[in-house]
Amino acid sequence: MPGIVQKLMVVPALDGLLLQPSTLRNQRASPTIQISYKTNAITTLRETHRGNNKNAVSLEAHGIVGLLTVASFSYLISISSRHQVAQIRGKPIYVITDVALIPLSSQAAATKAINQCLASSKRAASRASGAIASDSDSSEDERAEASATEDNDPTVPHTPEAETCGAAKGEENDSKSTSVVEDVIGKKGQYGRFAERWFSRKGWSVEKRRMQGMSAGDIKEQVDDPPQPYDTIDKSESQTDTASSTVVPDQARSSGNSAPDQSNVAESFIPKLLKTTRLLLGSQSFFFAYEYDITRRLGTSQVKSTEMPLYKAVDPLFFWNRHLTSPFIDAGQHPFVLPLLQGFVGQRAFTVNTESDDPSRTVAAAKEDAGEVIELQNNASHDSAFQPSAKTRDFLITLISRRSTLRPGLRYLRRGVDSEGNTANYVETEQILSDPSWSPSTSIYSFTQIRGSIPLFFSQSPYSFKPVPVLQHSEETNRAAFRSHFTKLVDRYGRIQIVSLVDKSGGEAKIGEEYEKHTNKLNDENGVNGTKPEFEWFDFHNVCRGMKFENVSILMDSIGPILNEYGSTVENDGKIQRTQSGILRTNCIDCIDRTSVSQSTCSQKSLETQLKGEGITLDLQTDVSTQWFNTLWADNGDAISKQYSSTAALKGDYTRTRKRNYRGAINDFGLTLSRYFNNIVNDYFSQAAIDFLLGNVTDQVFAEFEANMMSGDPAMSMRKVRQSAIDTSSKIVIADQSEKLLGGWTLLCPREPNTLRTFPFEEVVLLLTDAAIYGVRFDWNMEKVAGFERVDLRSVVGIMKGVYITSTLVAAQIDEQKNVGFVIRYRPGQTDVTRINTRSLTSAVTSNGKDFDEARKNREGGGRALTEREGAEENDAKNDEAAVDSKKGMTEKHELEGSPSSPPIPKSKPDPMEKDKPTELKIFAFKALPANSSLASGVGQDSERQQVTEMELVKTVCHEIAKAIGGDALGGKRVVTSEGLIRMTGGIVEEGDIISLAEARKSTGLLEQLGHSLKKLVWA
């Protein structure tokens, strides 16, 4: 099996993109492969060639990241620039500094993309040599270096950066002399499509037509489009039309009221996705090695035979481009599969004075520059004449941080734990101490620690500087995820020492207490197979108040003994002599700033212990020449912080200098402001892009993003959560045990009862028994019943099912096949009940689930929850029952509190005369949830994706209700009797539009459209 391809030429041939490996010394040659245009089929070519054009352009690459496929478009991601940052056992470690994205739509598109990449590289080289010194030119060049796929080829979606790249090849002068309007349109990838629509002469008409379900061809025919004032704009928009008419699927081309194909929405986000992908991969946070596995810590590396591909040996937990490389893996092209690690890799070399008696002056010299450190290793391993002085000794320290691919993402969008026990911002950090020569005769030490979010379900609002953590889900759900998390840690590392750095007072105290409580509960249950995690709560902000971060030494005094028990992993003569027996798990709320300070202190103590085993006494805290150690850990902290919060770490001045001053505090304030901006503006789309690149979601996530301006958090399996909600609701609300549960569903419902369109729509539980229909308002965060309404089946007058469109702001909301629902019309009676849990705290039932808790009652129309004091006064002043009788029927409103006492709902027959009273009808409106989730097949427990369509679900529910009532399901017609009553004849279920597309358009006001457009301006 040949090794990983380290250098290759990317050549656009007639039938596909050729990847021609360059053979290195002592490496078996890999064959040239071809990626076919459109189909993405990967095949091996027998002879190396460049197609029919001998003068075809080519792009040199240092490896392949993978294939990015969005809707019907695909892009090859290759490493166009790299930088060596370290060397381990003589094997180079690189960081990606830039990538090229080449479209796989046609030879012309690929050729143009490669030309743009070559032009960008040439300009970058010119800037490096000082040919271009202007800051303005530099910023324009950076924009010009935007993804090379963003070209004007008719088969590729138009992107504005392509025009900028085109200007870089000789059109700079034209691009600089533009008006503000043209400048905004040219940067619509940065300003959003909203700005383009403001300034384009087409205005909002194109978007309006798109919302009506018309294809670009329909738009071109029906919109009066006079010549544009700028050639670039005319050109781009005409090509957008051409692209749509040639590659958009047939179902998206139909006019009328049909919604565009889902892929069209994903295609509209391609420019932003490409830009985000290039920024992410070029952020110098992705590392790789051709001949060394950097994903596994010392002592855990698999024995890799020469025939085993590298991707099979790496730890899948840290294999970040596994999804992108899957086409090459499936095609058997293993030499092109280059695993990437997100995190940090850095090295420092230092020389110690072996005869020094002063621990604070032990270090004689240090090297911080990566080039100097690599040169030192080469000299030590290859130059036999290289012998250190007898009075000095050289050491090498290597730091590797590995970010997990499970529960990945950004600060406030990924918090806590998921249902499988994976936590946000989980990073494994390994510090390796070795000789620069990596000689087998010398000892190699490894000390590993981890960080990760508190393993409970919680969230925080991104719209506050100091948001309070809000706990979510039930205690049972949290306990299961908590145990799962620590089971994985015990299996992976052994013993566990928890260090929690959250505040013991204020907003963080509650979640800190819950963390400690769950740990104690786990230990009371004998831990994980007898292994009980140790818990240390260190109030960092309180102990280190007044910028006295040196007080972290108090933490070390507490956990030092157990860290000494864990020890380090030691290798000598190629064999593992000792293995680290436990892991230090550190967390604060973000797991970046306080955690980085604490972890660097722990690693400092570990390094001192390891050197002591080599007969060298060193005090890193007092040695003034140990800045090399501090900067290494500060760089690591900044890297982890940027990957999670988009800024460098706070408190970095202390990590670098072991001193804290007001200048550092001011710098931290600036970083905090930058984080706040990223939290509310940039992170939402970036999160969706990260999930898509990892293969956790399909391109449907972009439709969800367009509708909600954010993507969902797959922390919990919604299938299981919804089924649990149905089970919980049935136990809580069905008080009469003689009622037989016939079915339960989760649906959308208007926020206000007895309405068709009040926002936001809420996800509710619909229960059907042989006696009544229950609409249950459910608190999904706390997994508790918030209230319910019961309608006797005998009160049901009729059911209408059909199109139910509540908004026309985005394409997904106007699809008449997916936006469907039904409305139950009923006449309120004495047996109809509404109960509201105004405190929304508990809805417990007895073990047999028979009755409700004894509850305090709220006055009809009170409209708010009672406080404890008000509740006591209410109980003293009124009876246990409060009922209000009106023309609409008898309604009881109760506050649920948690212990069974409410009497069962009577099933007595209502007054026969009541039927003849022309009382006002009420409605129960329900809309089907989207049938398909954006979660990719095989991700988590939602891999069993719902196969029932929205229309099929509505038909099923209506049929079950009709069958329970005892009438025919279909063919119903409304008839007004002489008494003015509405009766159903021929069946109880009627088909018709609940809210048609035309009605929805009329009810979508200008303010609502403007609000959504402003959101798109900010987030899309």
Side-chain angles (χ1 to χ4, degrees), residues 28-61:
R28 192 190 312 175
S30 298
T32 297
I33 65 173
Q34 175 178 282
I35 309 175
S36 299
Y37 300 129
K38 302 295 186 183
T39 64
N40 297 343
I42 302 177
T43 56
T44 301
L45 300 183
R46 295 182 178 275
E47 298 181 0
T48 302
H49 64 281
R50 294 196 175 191
N52 297 329
N53 189 355
K54 296 181 179 180
N55 297 321
V57 297
S58 61
L59 177 70
E60 183 181 75

Side-chain angles (χ1 to χ4, degrees), residues 301-305 308:
S301 298
Q302 294 185 353
V303 179
K304 187 172 77 71
S305 68
M308 177 185 288

Side-chain angles (χ1 to χ4, degrees), residues 122-137:
K122 186 176 181 179
R123 289 192 306 275
S126 298
R127 288 199 304 272
S129 62
I132 302 177
S134 169
D135 291 338
S136 61
D137 287 347

Side-chain angles (χ1 to χ4, degrees), residues 196-209:
E196 179 196 11
R197 293 173 199 134
W198 267 129
F199 296 107
S200 172
R201 294 187 66 178
K202 287 184 178 181
W204 294 90
S205 58
V206 173
E207 175 68 7
K208 183 178 179 181
R209 296 287 182 176

Side-chain angles (χ1 to χ4, degrees), residues 637-651:
D638 286 346
I640 294 175
S641 177
K642 288 177 181 177
Q643 293 159 20
Y644 190 54
S645 68
S646 304
T647 72
L650 306 184
K651 306 172 181 67

